[in-house]
Amino acid sequence: MTETPKTRFTPRIFSGIQPSGGLTLGNYLGALKRFAALQGGPAQTIYCLVDLHAITVWQEPDKLRRNIREAAAAFMASGVDPQQSILFNQSQVSAHAEMAWLFNTVARVGWMYRMTQFKDKAGKNTENVSLGLLAYPALMAADILTYQATAVPVGEDQKQHLELTRDIAAKFNHDYGVEQFPITEPLIEGVATRVMSLRDGSKKMSKSDPSDASRINLTDDADAIAQKIRKARTDADPLPGSLDGLKDRPEAKNLVNIYAALSDETPDQVLARFEGQGFGAFKPALAELAVAALEPITRRMNDFMADPAEIDRILGEGAIRADEIATPILERTKEIMGLLRTRP
């Protein structure tokens, strides 16, 4: 028996954001800011607006189109350069859907039912949710592996999905005796990969929270940003000199982490500067920093949104570039599985 030769995968980073509207500070610090920073490195960067994931629950079509463009504007306003990176929306590259079906035959039903996000979204209504909501982790795996991505920047709450992607890749490679897909590595870095609610430090900042005061939206103006930070829940104790002192103070820890992420410092560096001070001093400093960082992004987003045709053009060009990578990988996968290709 001859030994299967090792495959050298091109270093590629892939990630995506669901265009469901209402991007927040959490999306910026946990994703968009990091995406921009990864450009120009040794790995090719591919970023996707995962609109096929969005329609696992019903979407109003005109609103979805706007949300896709708004998300693209947020990527670019945050520093993602469509010339350095590939930026596109998922539904324009049909290889994603085709590869997802192939992975539906590899993944096991039990894997899908164990996914925490499915349990959270479906609740007790599992019989009436869309089949797509159950199966979409296979589409997520397809998003990544269609480009043979070697790394994916993820937050702590997304690790389970990447583990499933790794399981699908490993099972495919084992079942067919090939090394078609890499075992994609997570990129978990930074001090604010999981930004928490301004009203409850135990919950993630989310656009679905009923209270708008719980989050900073990327569309908020300077006054709204400053006011939300001033009203953010904290405690009466002064700030300690190190992060260990915030172990049982989730709201305080969240604000310090946000400051550190916006200023590109460590939390301990921030605390060394504010040690012994209360939030009466810290919150104004954080508000000033947040406004300085986010107001230009909001302004650039508005500029991009004023020309939707240009956004569509950029996404279309990105889709062509993405398709050039994805199609050969998809065709090779089908060939491995024994599917005939009769068209030239």
Side-chain angles (χ1 to χ4, degrees):
M1 182 177 175
T2 58
E3 192 174 294
T4 303
K6 290 285 185 183
T7 302
R8 290 185 178 273
F9 295 105
T10 300
R12 287 196 185 104
I13 293 170
F14 178 93
S15 196
I17 285 182
Q18 191 170 147
S20 50
L23 293 175
T24 70
L25 174 67
N27 298 119
Y28 173 66
L29 293 178
L32 299 175
K33 185 173 187 279
R34 298 169 66 205
F35 294 169
L38 290 167
Q39 296 176 133
Q44 184 179 29
T45 46
I46 303 174
Y47 299 129
C48 182
L49 311 173
V50 289
D51 48 6
L52 294 178
H53 289 291
I55 61 172
T56 56
V57 295
W58 192 87
Q59 302 284 335
E60 198 285 312
D62 286 339
K63 186 177 179 181
L64 177 58
R65 278 186 280 269
R66 176 178 173 79
N67 286 345
I68 293 168
R69 292 175 179 130
E70 183 178 85
F75 269 82
M76 294 185 288
S78 300
V80 172
D81 181 353
Q83 300 302 314
Q84 286 194 71
S85 298
I86 296 176
L87 178 64
F88 69 105
N89 60 299
Q90 180 189 31
S91 62
Q92 291 200 71
V93 180
S94 61
H96 288 248
E98 286 193 69
M99 190 73 85
W101 178 257
L102 301 183
F103 288 165
N104 281 341
T105 71
V106 176
R108 306 292 93 178
V109 172
W111 298 358
M112 300 302 179
Y113 277 116
R114 285 195 294 271
M115 299 304 288
T116 302
Q117 197 163 352
F118 172 73
K119 294 176 184 178
D120 291 345
K121 288 191 174 183
K124 297 179 180 179
N125 196 34
T126 55
E127 296 298 316
N128 292 319
V129 297
S130 74
L131 178 61
L133 188 63
L134 175 64
Y136 90 95
L139 175 58
M140 185 176 289
D143 297 337
I144 296 166
L145 297 176
T146 293
Y147 301 94
Q148 294 177 330
T150 52
V152 173
V154 294
E156 288 288 344
D157 57 329
Q158 299 165 318
K159 289 178 69 175
Q160 189 186 32
H161 286 107
L162 184 58
E163 284 301 319
L164 185 136
T165 297
R166 290 160 59 91
D167 288 343
I168 289 174
K171 189 174 189 306
F172 185 97
N173 291 346
H174 176 268
D175 287 353
Y176 291 98
V178 294
E179 196 185 4
Q180 171 67 351
F181 298 113
I183 308 302
T184 309
E185 294 294 329
L187 293 177
I188 302 174
E189 54 192 28
V191 296
T193 56
R194 186 173 170 86
V195 178
M196 311 308 282
S197 165
L198 298 180
R199 308 303 300 163
D200 183 349
S202 68
K203 296 179 180 178
K204 184 179 178 182
M205 183 178 287
S206 171
K207 66 180 183 300
S208 61
D209 192 306
S211 172
D212 188 61
S214 69
R215 61 186 171 270
I216 293 174
N217 306 298
L218 292 188
T219 52
D220 284 342
D221 61 23
D223 288 342
I225 293 170
Q227 184 178 35
K228 287 178 179 180
I229 291 174
R230 284 197 301 270
K231 292 185 176 181
R233 181 176 294 174
T234 51
D235 53 48
D237 295 334
L239 288 166
S242 70
L243 196 60
D244 290 341
L246 294 178
K247 183 178 179 182
D248 298 316
R249 300 170 63 186
E251 285 81 18
K253 182 178 179 180
N254 185 42
L255 294 187
V256 169
N257 280 342
I258 289 171
Y259 192 110
L262 287 171
S263 63
D264 293 317
E265 296 175 279
T266 67
D268 283 337
Q269 287 174 321
V270 174
L271 288 169
R273 190 158 66 253
F274 288 95
E275 182 177 6
Q277 299 185 50
F279 286 97
F282 184 77
K283 281 184 176 180
L286 176 57
E288 183 179 356
L289 177 63
V291 168
L294 298 179
E295 190 177 34
I297 293 173
T298 302
R299 188 168 59 249
R300 288 195 293 270
M301 281 181 65
N302 291 336
D303 290 342
F304 282 119
M305 288 298 289
D307 191 353
E310 176 63 9
I311 295 177
D312 293 352
R313 184 194 67 77
I314 290 168
L315 293 177
E317 287 189 356
I320 292 170
R321 293 167 62 199
D323 190 71
E324 289 173 351
I325 299 169
T327 295
I329 294 170
L330 172 66
E331 292 301 326
R332 175 57 183 152
T333 303
K334 291 194 285 188
E335 180 185 358
I336 290 167
M337 297 179 78
L339 301 172
L340 291 176
R341 181 182 181 187
T342 57
R343 289 182 297 175

